[in-house]
Amino acid sequence: DTTVKQNPRYKLARVGKPVNLICSQTMNHDTMYWYQKKPNQAPKLLLFYYDKILNREADTFEKFQSSRPNNSFCSLYIGSAGLEYSAMYLCASSPGGVQNTLYFGAGTRLSVL
Amino acid sequence: GDSVTQTEGQVALSEEDFLTIHCNYSASGYPTLFWYVQYPGEGPQLLFRASRDKEKGSSRGFEATYDKGTTSFHLRKASVQESDSAVYYCALSDQNTEGADRLTFGKGTQLIIQP
């Protein structure tokens, strides 16, 4: 089974409120990633966990948090949502190392109002 | 930083047409190049990859050749089918990060095949 599951598929949030998105995988992959996709833009890497180590991209460092309580689960947390956070959020996993295939979930579409 | 530029927007073809989606990249090192495909309601999935100059990747009738001289990895298929309708992403991998493939994607190209 090469499935990455994301919940929920759609999420509505209010400006200023927190948002928590969930991702799970059962492939025992070492690395889990979060990407943000906006219309007419390329998917943008926000952060990734390699085992228990969190790596956040420099330009999104303060905007997103994440936790990985065990190998299978990873969350993406926005402390105070703004309109600019409206996007599709894609979670992915890979076995770790380099030149591996990333397995993506179907995404969570976040709308901030 | 690294970047990927691919055919923008939509490409509309009829069944059995020849397909080309252009992809050019800019990277400081020697990246691995990928094509991912995303069908409606699903996440992107790997179509194929290539790691060395002149290496050809292929899958499901699609192919692309790594060209370091022109920094290109153009996607081609000789005869498209309606089931090929999807969004196609060209991507490259930063190989300098322990434990992870940090992919840089292009904006994606939506392929629409009319029966």
Side-chain angles (χ1 to χ4, degrees), chain A residues 4-5 10 16 22 26 37 41-42 55 59 64 67 70 76 79 84 91-92 104:
Chain A
V4 176
K5 289 185 166 50
Y10 301 91
I22 302 295
T26 56
K37 174 71 172 77
Q41 295 184 22
N55 296 268
D59 56 348
F64 299 92
S67 66
N70 56 55
L76 182 70
E84 71 275 16
C91 175
F104 283 86

Side-chain angles (χ1 to χ4, degrees), chain A residues 51-91:
Chain A
D51 195 13
K52 294 181 175 60
I53 301 171
L54 174 61
N55 296 268
R56 287 183 286 179
E57 296 296 284
D59 56 348
T60 57
F61 190 86
E62 295 184 350
K63 295 183 178 181
F64 299 92
Q65 254 295 1
S66 183
S67 66
R68 191 177 186 185
N70 56 55
N71 177 269
S72 299
F73 287 88
C74 188
S75 68
L76 182 70
Y77 181 76
I78 301 166
S80 177
L83 297 177
E84 71 275 16
Y85 288 90
S86 293
M88 175 70 83
Y89 290 86
L90 295 166
C91 175

